[in-house]
């Protein structure tokens, strides 16, 4: 008898400080109107100094553990997805493990940026299907606000990103019609420089230099239009791959949760797929782009609102830095 992987608990946590578009207008040459029209974002949350991705992941994990109705000591593996770890090394998986006080289970860190949650979900799915682990905690969290520069030159990136964390608990089920039906992962490393934070880099000797600071190579850079054009192609492709694999059509999908990169991207993806916009879960207006955390935050909100119900078909898709893109087809 094989196992499928089900999501038995979810949680999310964002830092309390809300940053409005009007707040950003005071820092650089931008406007509430531009930000809302071009991205659909009204507010995002920024962490205060001293708070790292592991802190947001930990808070989200506590909620996911509670919603799964398990004891934290039952967790037998941790997977953590982030592009903004507390430290250059180690990753945040071990920090979350230590904060939860659940020694000495393994903790794996995943570095797939906006696609990080689905890549991590795919890894978790394989561990559960194989029988290796029975209760995996998957956290995805970002503190990006510290890496943003609120200047006219960097305003394209600065207005988009927000901080937040999401978490899920994954467990096996013997019901083969339920849970994660399949995951589909893609990458094209020819586009590394289209969305990246180049430095600090050990390729520089030394890694940290005045030149690195003066040239601002430590600022995230994005070729926005190029990312946009690729995102609206690749996310539908990933969804179609998932539907085809399971012999399903777009009419079978009850909820599409796209990575919340830009509301215009989500709407164009929906349009390309031919899925009614009511079936698309969108919360970027309140959170901005929280990268790896955006899908688990949207998933948790939708479940708590009662929007996703037992038996619903939920499709996740993401696209981002790398480029990497992915999809997951889940029967709730
Ligand atoms: O998470 C996955 C990774 N990220 C994404 O998927 C994001 C993908 N890209 C995007 O979402 C969009 O490309 C942006 C929102 C970043 C930009 O929107 P756009 O419609 O592609 O604008 P643009 O880059 O073509 O810029 C249009 C104008 C430019 O001015 P000029 O050259 O027309 O005079 C920009 O300088 O808007 C200007 N601009 C801004 N104006 C006010 C760029 N950023 C801002 C800003 N406020 N924050």
């Amino acid at each position: 008898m094989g196992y499928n992987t089900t999501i038995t608990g979810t949680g999310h946590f964002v830092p309390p400080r809300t940053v409005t578009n009007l707040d950003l207008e005071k820092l650089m040459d931008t406007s509430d109107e531009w930000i809302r029209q071009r991205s659909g974002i009204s507010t995002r949350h920024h962490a205060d100094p001293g708070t790292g991705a592991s802190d947001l992941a930990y808070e989200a994990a506590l909620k996911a553990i509670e919603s799964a109705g398990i004891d934290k000591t039952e967790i037998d593996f941790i997977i953590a997805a982030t592009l903004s770890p507390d430290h250059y090394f180690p990753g945040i998986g071990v920090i979350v493990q230590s904060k939860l006080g659940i020694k000495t289970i393994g903790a794996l860190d995943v570095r797939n940026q906006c696609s990080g949650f689905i890549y991590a979900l795919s890894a978790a799915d394989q561990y559960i299907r194989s029988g290796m682990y029975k209760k995996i905690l998957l956290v995805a969290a970002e503190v990006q606000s510290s890496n943003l520069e609120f200047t006219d030159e960097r305003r394209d990136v600065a207005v988009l990103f927000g901080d937040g964390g999401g978490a899920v608990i994954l467990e096996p089920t013997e019901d083969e019609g339920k849970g994660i039906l399949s995951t589909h992962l893609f990458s094209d490393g020819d586009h590394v420089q289209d969305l990246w934070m180049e430095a600090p880099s050990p390729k520089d000797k030394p890694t940290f230099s005045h030149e690195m600071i003066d040239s601002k190579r430590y600022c995230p850079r994005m070729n926005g239009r190029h990312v946009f054009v690729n995102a609206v192609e690749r996310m539908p492709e990933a969804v179609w791959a998932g539907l085809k694999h399971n012999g399903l059509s777009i009419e079978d999908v009850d909820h599409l949760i796209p990575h919340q990169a830009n509301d215009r991207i989500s709407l164009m993806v929906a349009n390309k797929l031919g899925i009614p916009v009511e079936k698309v879960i969108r919360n970027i207006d309140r959170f901005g782009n929280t990268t790896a955390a955006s899908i688990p935050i949207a998933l948790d909100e939708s479940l708590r609102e009662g929007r996703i119900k037992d038996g619903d078909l939920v499709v996740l898709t993401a696209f981002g830095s790398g480029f990497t893109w992915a999809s997951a087809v889940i029967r709730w």
Side-chain angles (χ1 to χ4, degrees):
M1 186 79 184
Y3 293 117
N4 265 17
T5 308
T6 47
I7 296 176
T8 57
T10 61
H12 83 270
F13 181 80
V14 291
R17 187 157 58 89
T18 303
V19 176
T20 66
N21 294 342
L22 297 176
D23 294 331
L24 296 179
E25 273 185 16
K26 290 176 199 144
L27 303 174
M28 56 199 161
D29 181 16
T30 190
S31 68
D32 175 50
E33 192 192 0
W34 190 96
I35 300 170
R36 278 192 288 109
Q37 270 183 8
R38 300 290 178 124
S39 72
I41 300 166
S42 299
T43 60
R44 75 287 289 142
H45 293 257
H46 284 178
D48 288 325
T51 298
S54 74
D55 298 298
L56 308 183
Y58 170 68
E59 296 294 339
L62 291 180
K63 295 182 180 187
I65 291 165
E66 191 189 357
S67 93
I70 62 166
D71 190 85
K72 63 183 183 180
T73 55
E74 295 174 60
I75 295 167
D76 51 7
F77 196 61
I78 295 174
I79 307 183
T82 186
L83 64 64
S84 49
D86 297 11
H87 308 290
Y88 200 77
F89 70 84
I92 66 164
V94 293
I95 303 176
V96 172
Q97 183 250 28
S98 166
K99 281 182 200 288
L100 286 169
I102 41 177
K103 288 180 177 170
T104 52
I105 59 166
L108 169 73
D109 276 69
V110 167
R111 296 282 315 265
N112 287 83
Q113 296 67 249
C114 301
S115 308
F117 178 77
I118 302 181
Y119 266 75
L121 192 72
S122 180
D125 184 31
Q126 309 315 311
Y127 284 128
I128 299 242
R129 278 175 192 271
S130 72
M132 186 165 173
Y133 296 119
K134 300 250 176 311
K135 284 188 176 57
I136 297 180
L137 167 65
L138 194 178
V139 291
E142 308 285 0
V143 172
Q144 322 208 68
S145 51
S146 323
N147 291 331
L148 302 175
E149 212 177 71
F150 299 96
T151 62
D152 294 356
E153 200 192 341
R154 308 287 173 184
R155 62 185 178 173
D156 56 335
V157 175
V159 300
L160 287 184
F161 292 94
D163 302 340
V168 298
I169 301 289
L170 299 140
E171 299 184 54
T173 172
E174 287 185 0
D175 185 344
E176 287 179 4
K178 283 230 164 198
I180 300 171
L181 303 183
S182 63
T183 54
H184 305 267
L185 312 177
F186 307 93
S187 76
D188 184 351
D190 289 353
H191 300 272
V192 168
Q193 299 185 6
D194 287 313
L195 182 47
W196 70 336
M197 187 166 145
E198 184 188 357
S201 165
K203 283 173 72 178
D204 296 333
K205 291 195 185 306
T207 300
F208 294 88
S209 64
H210 288 291
E211 180 282 324
M212 189 265 280
I213 304 286
D214 294 342
S215 64
K216 299 198 171 173
R217 288 190 291 114
Y218 60 85
C219 284
R221 273 177 194 262
M222 178 172 70
N223 182 350
R225 280 186 199 181
H226 189 63
V227 175
F228 194 108
V229 167
N230 278 273
V232 298
E233 285 295 321
R234 296 308 201 179
M235 286 203 274
E237 280 175 19
V239 171
W240 282 318
L243 294 176
K244 188 172 171 210
H245 181 85
N246 293 288
L248 296 164
S249 70
I250 197 71
E251 286 73 30
D252 296 315
V253 179
D254 295 299
H255 310 280
L256 176 72
I257 310 186
H259 160 53
Q260 311 285 302
N262 179 326
D263 207 37
R264 281 161 57 216
I265 293 179
S266 297
L267 294 174
M268 281 179 77
V269 167
N271 189 266
K272 273 212 161 117
L273 287 168
I275 187 168
V277 74
E278 304 75 50
K279 291 186 172 183
V280 183
I281 292 173
R282 298 152 60 209
N283 65 7
I284 195 171
D285 57 325
R286 289 173 290 122
F287 297 109
N289 178 343
T290 56
T291 307
S294 92
I295 292 177
I297 292 175
L299 181 63
D300 183 48
E301 280 202 332
S302 312
L303 284 161
R304 285 176 196 268
E305 285 163 7
R307 187 165 168 184
I308 297 175
K309 297 183 180 62
D310 226 32
D312 283 356
L313 189 75
V314 180
V315 176
L316 317 178
T317 187
F319 178 89
S321 164
F323 292 152
T324 61
W325 61 102
S327 69
V329 181
I330 306 172
R331 177 70 68 189
W332 219 266

